[in-house]
Each structure stands twice: as structure tokens, then as C-alpha cells.
Amino acid sequence: MKTYILNALFLIMSIPSLHAQTLKQVSGNIKDDLSKDPLVGAIVINQNTTSYTVSDASGNYSLAANASDIIEIKMLGYTTFSCIANDLKSTITLKQDDYVLNQVVVSASRAAQKREEAPMAITSIGTTMLEEAKPQSLEQVINKVPGVLMADLGSEQHMMAIRQPLSTKSLFLYLEDGLPIRPTGIFNHNALNEMNMTMAQNIEVIRGPASALYGSEAIGGAVNIITKIPSIVTSAKVQLRGDSYGYRRIDAIVEGTSDNGKLGVSVGGYSAKRENGYLDHSDFNKSIISAIVSYKLMESLKVTSNTTYMKYYSDMGSSLDSTSFYERDFTSLHNFTKREIELWRSTLTIDKTWNKNSKTIAKIFYRNNKMGQIPSYRIKNDWSNPSKAKGEVNESSFQSYGTVVQHNQNIPSLKTTIRIGASVDYSPTAFWANYIDVDRDESGKYIGYFNTDSVLTDYQTNLLNTGLYAQIEVNPIDRLFITAGVRSDHFKYDYSNNLDETAFSGAPNSINHFNAITPRIGITYTMANDLGFYANYSVGFMPPQVSELYRGVKVPSLAPSYYTNYEVGTWYSLPKGLGYVEAAYYYMQGENEIISVAQDDGSYVNENAGSTKHEGVEAALHLKPISQVFVRIGGAYASHTFDQFDTGKEDFSGNTMANAPNWIANMELTFKPKFLKGFRTSVEFQKVSDYYMDNQNTKKYDGYHLFNLRFGYQFSGFDTWINIMNLTDELYASRVSKSAWGENYSLGAPRTFQVGIGYTLSKKQ
């Protein structure tokens, strides 16, 4: 009897060890069900232990589990996969869907992580949305993000508003795979037209300052275009599209991976043009191509190169005055103004995994960019001679050489991840502008010009930006994550003027230094019922732009701008996968914000505002009541005001900032019927409320509301679509401003029919 008891006790005591002995590493590869592309950043969760991992750049994963543990795989834009560990196959394919419970983001830390661990407002526009919306320009998908308004200025040109008024100022950072596409100091508000939309895998939008990680200009927010990685399956894809206003475009991409899985290649791009559009003198053409080559030297070491070349030309028609706008007279006063861009940028990424808890990523980059203009906005009338005007022809260029290195170290015993990084960006730049005389006809149109021997501006600036940053993420208790980070930046502007002090730009040769320490701290907590909360404090920093500091001035006088941001937010996953809701409140204080102040002669001068306040609430609801219907509702209410700002001539304190609508909203209903597999249709509504045209708050623009209707059908490798944009043909302006000379309206597109067809040829695996 005693022996039986002892044996029973021994058996009971051995159960935990027997259970532990069954623990093993389950591993495999995760792919897109349609394209067979590897899925990067898919979350693989052991539901029994709550441990998880994230798939790597090749779609591979490895996770400890018992044979009977339930393994769940989730990714934004894909249906959730679930099965017991013992039944896992070596390759898992996920089907694209409109909604997933937990998003994966990379822009919050420059590494893939679960959305619920990131204490900030960040939204990922996934592959499904990009594929189904078929955007002709990026604002057609970026405006779906709550709290974001990207204004279409035609020809892929744009302005942005993220927790700031609509602005051409350097308040927003544009990134490609985590790297700024332009150096600090020479911001271009149209910079997203330098992106290759064909090669975009997804787009992440950060709302609020991200300077602690990415540095200067990430003030209102950042837009990160994440490019495709080469498909494991050899495939070719071509798309033809056009619209009812002279737009034509062809997209093509060829990609594949060698049989041994080491070499991957993807080459793709598009050529687009518009002729005889809805607005006079608005033709444009753009050709862009990218080549991505990845090579796995060993299982722990991968090298990837990404090279892009672009040529771009656009007419630059005039904005409309109020009479022309409301009478629908879309004739341009200009017929020779233009913008031309030629660029080449390359990035070499070295991805080294030391062990499962240690990884280093180094990016080495080169940029070469040249832009020439005869800008319409520089043409001013000569009031002493009605048949004459003045303007300029200019050219700006830069080259960049730099690197970003980041090391990620996970310390499991402390439930802590440490990320440290450094960046160097050396960018010699040049700017030249020459005065031109412009002829006007009797109707007031600018019909021609001739060069003069008067040089307005001719300078070079060598820009050097060095940065160090560190971020620590701690998980002290289950479901609680604390993130703290800080970045130190040093900027050196080495300015050389080729003109004397009497010139229009007569600033003397000088070296200007700007330094910044930008911290961030945040916390997230998710309750057992999928209700989560976050809070953060962050600081943004922005030195003056080169053009703000030196163009048209005798002595540089602008100070850097600082932004302090406080934010709280929440999210909730509805039961049974019905949907997802999120909301955020922010308060941001700007100090020394650079504002364009109108002068008596109608020109503008940059000045530091004393202080500004930016406050708002953003919310979004994703709802899937049945498998065939998806509802998306997003919007924001915001207030942007001058706290203290006295120019000496006018006191704007307490005024609302110009071009700052209180309300913006975007909603969409999508239907994919079971009875017609492959068919989709959606209706989208966008609302922009009224806003002041000027800082004096003398007149408002009424705002606008748009409806867009989309249809698509996929079958046997084909994809066809019809989009009807601005369904009700509303007359609207994407941006309106008021100056001493009158009102300026940037015409929004009238009702436009977009059609397209694509075909994907894939090698069967």
C-alpha cells in the first residue's frame, strides 16, 4: 500500500515536468494567400501562455509551445488563423480581410511590435485598403486616417494637416522604410509626390510629435511608406488605368525569389500623365521605378538594397480668385510656369540577428535631387505698368550621404527591450534664382517672359545633422507597457552666399548651430476584456528651414520651434470580432512657431509666433456586423489658436489660425457579397468644415463634403475597377487663402470617373 501511495505521489509531482518536457519550438513561414508574399510583422500568439513573437522579413517565426497549446496568427488586413500547435503546418497562408483585432506597427519603434504596446496615435493603412481603393494619388487613402487631412493640389502635389492647420510648413515628416526622403532643413510640402506608389506595401501614419525617434520635422505627425519585399513566388503584375479628365497610367512590377530562398528581386514602378485636365495649364507626367534586391548571406544576416529613380514634370497653373471659382471659370492666368524634378535615392540595409534577443539594423543611404521651377506664386504685377509683371526662375538641389544604425536588445528576465540608435546626414545643398520680366495681355494673363541679368539668390548650404537616441520598453506586469525615449540632435548650417549684401538674399556667410533634446514617455495598459488605454508626453523640435533662414533676408533672425504634446487615448475590441473602436485626446503647445505674416505690399515674411495651442479629439470605429459588410467611421474635432502673437503691427493673440477646420471626417461602407465572389463596392463620405482664410479671422470658407463610389471585381488573376470620385460633382476648393490682393482657391477635382484593369501572372508553388 505504501508503495502505491509513493508511486502516486511521484506521478503527481512529475506531471509539471512531463508537461514542460513537451514544450518545443514551433516554427514556420507565413504568406499572403493570394500573392504568396512573405508577411512581415504577423503576430504569432500562444494563447495558453500569452507569449508571442512577430514574423521576420522573410515571414518566418519561432515560438515555444506545448503540443496542445492554441496558436493564433494575426495581422492587419488579414483574417485570423488559429489551430493547436501540433497541427501547425510549415507554411501558413493568411487571407486578406478588412479588419483584424490587433494591428502590427513598425513606425512606433523602427521595429515590428503589437499596436497595443505603442503609446501613441498610429494607424496602418494595409495592403487590402491600398489594393481596393486603387488611389491615383496618396490623399485618396491617407485621408481615411482619423484626424488627417491631405489636400490634393493636383499632379500628385499636396498640403498636409495632422494636428496642425493645412500648411506648407515643415511640420510633417515623410519617410520611406523609416528614412526621411529629404534632409532636415529643405522640406518640400509636395515631397510625397517623390514616392513610388506601386511599391507601397502599407502606409503608417503617426499623429503627434515623433522627434524622440525620428528627429526634427516630425511635429504634427509622420507618414511612413513601407515598401514591398520581394515575393517568394515569381510573379508579374501590370495595371492600366485612366480617368475622364485626361489621366493615364501604367503600373508594372516583376518579382521573385531564388529556389534556395537566398536571393529576392523586385522591380516596379509606374508612368503617369495628364493632358487637358479639368483645370487649365495643369498637365503633368511622372515616371518612377524602384529596384529592390535582397540577399540572405546566412540565416542570421540579410542585405537589402532599394534604389529609386524618378523624372517629374508639371505645369503650374494659377490658383483661382473668388469670381473665377464660383463662376466655374477654370482658366489659368499662367501658361509657362512649371516644376521639374529629377531624383535618385538608394538605401543599403544590413539586418543582423545575433540571437533571438539581439538584433542590429544598419541603413546606409544616398540621395540626389534636383528641382527647377518657374513658380506661379512668385509672379507679381508691376502696378506702375499694367502690361508687365515680375517673377523668377529657380533651381534647388541637394545630395545626401548618411547612415542610421539601431540595435534592439531584449532582456527576457527583466521583461525589457532596449533600443539605441545613431544617425548622420550630410547634405550639401544649393539654391539659385534669377529675376524674370513677365508680359501681360489686356485680359491680365501672363503670356511670356524673358530672363534678365539680375540674380536674386545664389547660395550653398552644407547641412550636417547628427543624432543619438535611446528607447526602453518595460513590461513590469502582464498587459502593462512603459516606454521612455530621448533623442539628442545637433544641426550645423554652413552657409555660403555667392552674392553681396545688396542682393535680394544678402545674408553674409555664416555657420548656424541648432541643438535639441527631445524626450518621450508613454504607458499602455490593456485589460482582459480587450479594453486598452495609453498616455504619453512628447516634445517636438524644428530648426528653421534653409529658405526661411536665408532667402530674401539680410541677417538670419529666426529661432527654432518647440512643441510640447500631452495625449491620452483608448481602444476597445468589440466582442466576437465585431469591430474595433479607438479615441485620442491631445493638447500641444507650440513655442516660436514660424508663421508667414502678410506685409503691406502683399508679400509674406517668416516670423516666430510667440506661442500657439493645438487641441483636439480623434476617434475611429471599424465595424464588421457580418462577413460581407465592413463599416469604417473616423473623424476629429480640433482647435488651433494663437496663444500669444503680436507682430508689432497686428496682435493675433486669441485668434484662430488660418486654414484650420474644426471638423474633419471620413466614413466608408464596404460590401463584398458571398453570392458574387471577388466583387466589392464601397461608398465613402468626406467632410471638411468651415475655416478662416486668414490669421486676422476676417473671412471664412464654408468647407465641403464629398462622396466617392467604388466598384471592383477580381477573377482569374484579373482585377477591374471603376471609381466615381466626387459623385455629386460638388464645387469645392482643397485649400483657400486670403491675402492683401484677394482670395486664392485651389480647385478640387469635379466628378471624375476612374477606370482600370490589372492582371497578375504568378508561378504556382
Side-chain angles (χ1 to χ4, degrees), residues 369-384:
N369 190 305
K370 181 171 68 175
M371 180 171 68
Q373 295 186 112
I374 304 178
S376 59
Y377 56 82
R378 295 292 185 196
I379 295 180
K380 307 295 181 183
N381 292 332
D382 183 347
W383 298 109
S384 64

Side-chain angles (χ1 to χ4, degrees), residues 224-245:
N224 189 9
I225 311 291
I226 299 173
T227 56
K228 295 178 183 291
I229 58 176
S231 170
I232 289 180
V233 177
T234 302
S235 65
K237 181 178 181 179
V238 63
Q239 292 184 339
L240 301 174
R241 70 181 77 194
D243 73 18
S244 52
Y245 285 101

Side-chain angles (χ1 to χ4, degrees), residues 185-186 395-397 429-433 455-462 494-499 505-507 509 545-553:
I186 47 175
E395 182 178 284
S396 60
S397 62
T429 75
F431 185 77
W432 167 87
V455 180
L456 296 169
T457 299
D458 186 5
Y459 61 74
Q460 292 84 41
T461 311
N462 293 331
D494 188 351
Y495 170 80
S496 297
N497 194 350
N498 298 323
L499 305 178
S505 295
N509 295 348
Q545 297 294 296
V546 169
S547 59
E548 294 172 334
L549 199 59
Y550 303 119
R551 177 188 159 84
V553 300

Side-chain angles (χ1 to χ4, degrees), residues 657-673:
M657 299 177 72
N659 301 114
N662 290 129
W663 288 98
I664 57 175
N666 191 288
M667 310 175 190
E668 190 168 21
L669 172 65
T670 301
F671 178 52
K672 296 179 180 180

Side-chain angles (χ1 to χ4, degrees), residues 87 116 120 169 199 224 244 340 375 452 538 560 564 573 629 759:
D87 292 342
E116 63 189 33
M120 60 172 55
K169 295 294 183 181
M199 301 296 281
N224 189 9
S244 52
E340 296 179 274
T452 71
S538 58
T564 304
S573 297
V629 175
Y759 181 71

Side-chain angles (χ1 to χ4, degrees), residues 597-674:
V597 179
Q599 306 299 298
D600 293 338
D601 64 356
S603 63
Y604 286 82
V605 172
N606 291 308
E607 296 184 13
N608 287 110
S611 61
T612 57
K613 291 192 298 186
H614 311 271
E615 184 177 15
V617 177
E618 301 159 346
L621 169 66
H622 290 189
L623 187 63
K624 196 166 189 178
I626 58 175
S627 62
Q628 304 171 68
V629 175
F630 173 64
V631 180
R632 177 185 54 77
I633 301 173
Y637 177 84
S639 172
H640 306 282
T641 59
F642 292 106
D643 188 19
Q644 294 181 346
F645 183 32
D646 191 341
T647 68
K649 296 181 180 179
E650 294 179 285
D651 187 357
F652 295 108
S653 300
N655 283 14
T656 297
M657 299 177 72
N659 301 114
N662 290 129
W663 288 98
I664 57 175
N666 191 288
M667 310 175 190
E668 190 168 21
L669 172 65
T670 301
F671 178 52
K672 296 179 180 180
K674 286 185 178 179

Side-chain angles (χ1 to χ4, degrees), residues 236-295:
K237 181 178 181 179
V238 63
Q239 292 184 339
L240 301 174
R241 70 181 77 194
D243 73 18
S244 52
Y245 285 101
Y247 181 85
R248 302 292 182 268
R249 174 171 144 190
I250 179 171
D251 297 68
I253 182 171
V254 179
E255 56 186 336
T257 301
S258 61
D259 291 339
N260 61 11
K262 289 190 173 183
L263 177 65
V265 178
S266 180
V267 179
Y270 66 96
S271 181
K273 70 176 182 179
R274 184 186 297 280
E275 295 177 333
N276 302 316
Y278 54 85
L279 184 64
D280 188 24
H281 193 62
S282 62
D283 291 359
F284 94 104
N285 59 70
K286 171 183 174 179
S287 295
I288 188 167
I289 186 169
S290 300
I292 299 173
V293 180
S294 64
Y295 189 76

Side-chain angles (χ1 to χ4, degrees), residues 236-240 715-719 757-762:
K237 181 178 181 179
V238 63
Q239 292 184 339
L240 301 174
F715 61 97
S716 303
F718 285 94
D719 189 4
I757 184 171
Y759 181 71
T760 300
L761 178 64
S762 238

